[in-house]
Amino acid sequence: MTEPVRPDSRAPRLLARLTQGAIPLTAAAEVFRAATVHAHHLHPASTSAHRSAFASMLLVYAATVAAVLFLVWFGRCRKNARLISPDAALGSDGWAVAAWLVPVANLWFPRGLLLGTLRASGPAADGRRDDLLVNAWWAAWTGHALLAVVAQSGTSLPLLVLSETLFVAAAGLIVVLIQRVTSRQDTALAALRPAAPAAA
């Protein structure tokens, strides 16, 4: 049975803003960590292990906050998407969270989950642009994930720079996608909310 759209149904705008703020901080922490660890590998005498450990700890904290905020935002958006598009095949909520966390699965399934939620969040002026944005984010995200493994095991600066560039690109694209989903849901839910009774 489809849940009715309540008069107070809203897109999670505050969560979106918090997530959009946390993601660039995580990208900055990742670049700082990669540069510090790389410098320590090349010049262990001048770059302390303590500084490398601090940079890694900073990234863990920033990434944890960003991941929690993103997953809460994503869960709220999926709930809204079911109200907006009751016939959309969005899958289970448990898998929608696990797919981002399970190794290997998180290199493929998040793309479909995010694209499905975006499509179910309201009509698009150009569906091909949605596909392009999600595919560009997914390519940058998976490219970084795969290159990071290789980059951390060696001292290749070009490989490290490419890996971090992809991470920053993925962060920028997901910020844009968060905005797109949230704005589209805001418009769609406003159209679906019951009209206020006219004053006598």
Side-chain angles (χ1 to χ4, degrees), residues 38-136:
H38 185 73
H40 178 66
H41 285 164
L42 290 178
H43 309 289
S46 59
T47 307
S48 69
H50 175 73
R51 187 178 179 191
S52 297
F54 171 75
S56 297
M57 181 183 67
L58 194 65
L59 173 62
V60 169
Y61 289 151
T64 300
V65 170
V68 170
L69 286 171
F70 177 82
L71 289 174
V72 174
W73 168 84
F74 190 59
R76 287 281 305 279
C77 286
R78 284 172 56 80
K79 183 178 179 181
N80 286 342
R82 287 193 176 93
L83 296 177
I84 297 165
S85 303
D87 296 329
L90 295 173
S92 71
D93 290 337
W95 176 242
V97 173
W100 297 88
L101 306 174
V102 176
V104 181
N106 61 8
L107 295 177
W108 177 256
F109 289 101
R111 174 197 169 275
L113 290 168
L114 186 57
L115 185 57
T117 302
L118 178 57
R119 287 173 174 170
S121 294
D126 185 359
R128 291 175 298 180
R129 190 174 179 188
D130 288 347
D131 291 3
L132 180 62
L133 276 171
V134 172
N135 288 336

Side-chain angles (χ1 to χ4, degrees), residues 19-28 30-31 66 70 136-138 140-141 144 163-179:
T19 308
Q20 288 173 307
I23 288 172
L25 291 177
T26 302
E30 162 61 17
V31 171
F70 177 82
W137 161 77
W138 174 76
W141 172 255
H144 162 75
S163 173
E164 297 310 300
T165 300
L166 288 172
F167 188 90
V168 171
L173 287 165
I174 198 67
V175 165
V176 171
L177 285 165
I178 288 170
Q179 182 63 35

